Amino acid sequence: LFVEPELAAGQQRVIEGNPAHYLARVMRVAPGDAVILCDDATGEWAARVVEADKRSVTLEVAERLREREEVPDLWLCPALLKKDRFDLVLEKATELGAARIQPVLTRRCVADKLNVGRASTIITEAAEQCARTALPEIGDPVKLDALLGDWPETRALFFADEDGGEPVADAFCYHDGPAAILIGPEGGFDDAERAAIRAHPAARPVSLGPRILRGETAAIAALAVWMAEAGD
Ligand code: SAM
């Protein structure tokens, strides 16, 4: 369970709302039971149930189990997709180790806004399910030209381009340092966008193979290759 930082041994934490409902009604915790807490700052801790009722559960923090993970410094920059498909991207990017998810607005995006609060909930639940000890950051959607215009110099921008590029596994396995993967929307990038991306000094077009993948598939495939190459 992710809670507000910072956890420390001996603290008492009172869990309320949905997490309390999950602990009390689904997991049916009772005093003395063990619960694992994370706080995205200090890592993962063992805690014990002190008392539990249907509205709140009181936990006492015991020992730290794991330090906060060091995830590869990889951003996913997916064009905003329709809600249910973008929900999948948020969940899978969390499971596959992205450090940051930066949604991008392009001319052919079908969706033009993101409920960041709801996105954070999806990310937190995915992190709890896959036992991450660090939450990926989620940015507010930015327009493509603003993203490119303000791009951090030291970060490679792998541009998933169905028109062709380096095989993604080659590009990733020889890369060392901060990186990002840019994925287009359902309708793809338009010619002007594609030219602007390719003209950017940090951009490196990569191919995910001969077939045209949906945006969510391309994001998952690219992250899976990255994870395989990065080894974590
Ligand atoms: N041009 C596509 C079409 O004709 O349907 C529309 C874009 S595709 C549905 C969504 C995005 O996934 C693309 O913008 C690209 O970023 C990525 N993508 C899809 N297939 C890819 C491939 N084989 N290699 C690299 N990127 C790919």
Side-chain angles (χ1 to χ4, degrees), residues 1 3 13-23 53-59:
L1 209 56
V3 295
R13 288 294 184 107
V14 179
I15 308 294
E16 294 174 322
N18 290 343
H21 177 270
Y22 173 74
L23 288 174
D53 63 37
K54 55 180 182 304
R55 271 187 311 285
S56 73
V57 175
T58 304
L59 301 171

Side-chain angles (χ1 to χ4, degrees), residues 160-162 182-189 206-215 218:
D161 189 352
E162 66 278 24
L182 175 62
I183 308 273
E186 294 91 342
F189 292 108
V206 289
S207 168
L208 291 166
R211 288 172 292 282
I212 304 283
L213 310 176
R214 287 182 182 278

